[in-house]
Amino acid sequence: MATQRKRPAHKLGHRGDIQIKRIYDDPDAADGFRALVDRLWPRGISKQRAALDDWLVDLAPSTALRRRWLRTDRW
């Protein structure tokens, strides 16, 4: 069972306030709670540079789905 971490109250924000931002974009003070939703850590990004509050691996697409997406002709 995964352990729950307490989130700082100032980073929780309001429900429904979700923004999508690329991990390669610089963090901003206005970002609020920052979470990475991916099974793979992005290349060339240190944990310090990412400035994440959480890495939500379990919410990311499954490995099988990722592999299927990569094999699909998307264009």
Side-chain angles (χ1 to χ4, degrees):
M1 178 180 255
T3 59
Q4 294 284 36
R5 287 185 256 167
K6 286 200 142 210
R7 309 289 194 269
H10 69 280
K11 291 198 170 194
L12 290 178
H14 302 287
R15 290 191 181 265
D17 293 348
I18 297 175
Q19 297 179 13
I20 297 173
K21 188 172 184 179
R22 290 176 39 93
I23 188 84
Y24 298 102
D25 295 339
D26 291 329
D28 190 323
D31 285 346
F33 185 83
R34 291 174 50 88
L36 174 64
V37 180
D38 204 335
R39 291 192 180 275
L40 303 174
W41 189 264
R43 292 182 182 183
I45 300 291
S46 68
K47 290 186 179 185
Q48 182 179 7
R49 179 177 167 206
L52 296 174
D53 295 302
D54 208 349
W55 183 13
L56 305 173
V57 175
D58 294 334
L59 292 180
S62 67
T63 301
L65 183 59
R66 287 179 60 97
R67 286 183 181 147
R68 183 170 178 158
W69 173 257
L70 291 173
R71 284 191 224 135
T72 304
D73 183 17
R74 294 183 297 256
W75 310 109

